[in-house]
Amino acid sequence: MKVFVEIEEAAERLEDLIELALLGDEIVICRDGTPAATFIPIEKKEEAMDKILALATEGRKNVPVGATSNHDDVYNEHGLPI
């Protein structure tokens, strides 16, 4: 559910609004009746880490097997090869 609240009220009820967001509500902060920002819960760390590990396991699909990075064209701040 979306909960709309003006900035002044949000400042007074910040703790309550964060709790509502953690329960799944989307908190929409308004300035003079116009939506300006939202509070939504951050993913749980375990879920985020699972996504990162899955991406790492999947690898880069567009890189051919056995390809290596060639950095011969990399130079330092003096224009000399690294």
Side-chain angles (χ1 to χ4, degrees), residues 54-69 71:
L55 286 172
T57 301
E58 180 180 304
R60 293 180 55 192
K61 295 179 182 178
N62 60 343
V63 177
V65 175
T68 60
S69 297
H71 298 290

Side-chain angles (χ1 to χ4, degrees), residues 38-58:
T38 59
F39 286 166
I40 56 172
I42 296 174
E43 290 185 55
K44 294 186 178 185
K45 290 181 184 179
E46 296 81 23
E47 293 172 8
M49 185 54 81
D50 289 343
K51 287 181 181 179
I52 291 170
L53 292 175
L55 286 172
T57 301
E58 180 180 304

Side-chain angles (χ1 to χ4, degrees), residues 1 16-27 40-41:
M1 174 170 81
D16 296 332
L17 295 173
I18 290 172
E19 287 302 317
L20 287 174
L22 291 173
L23 293 172
D25 291 329
E26 180 180 355
I27 311 302
I40 56 172

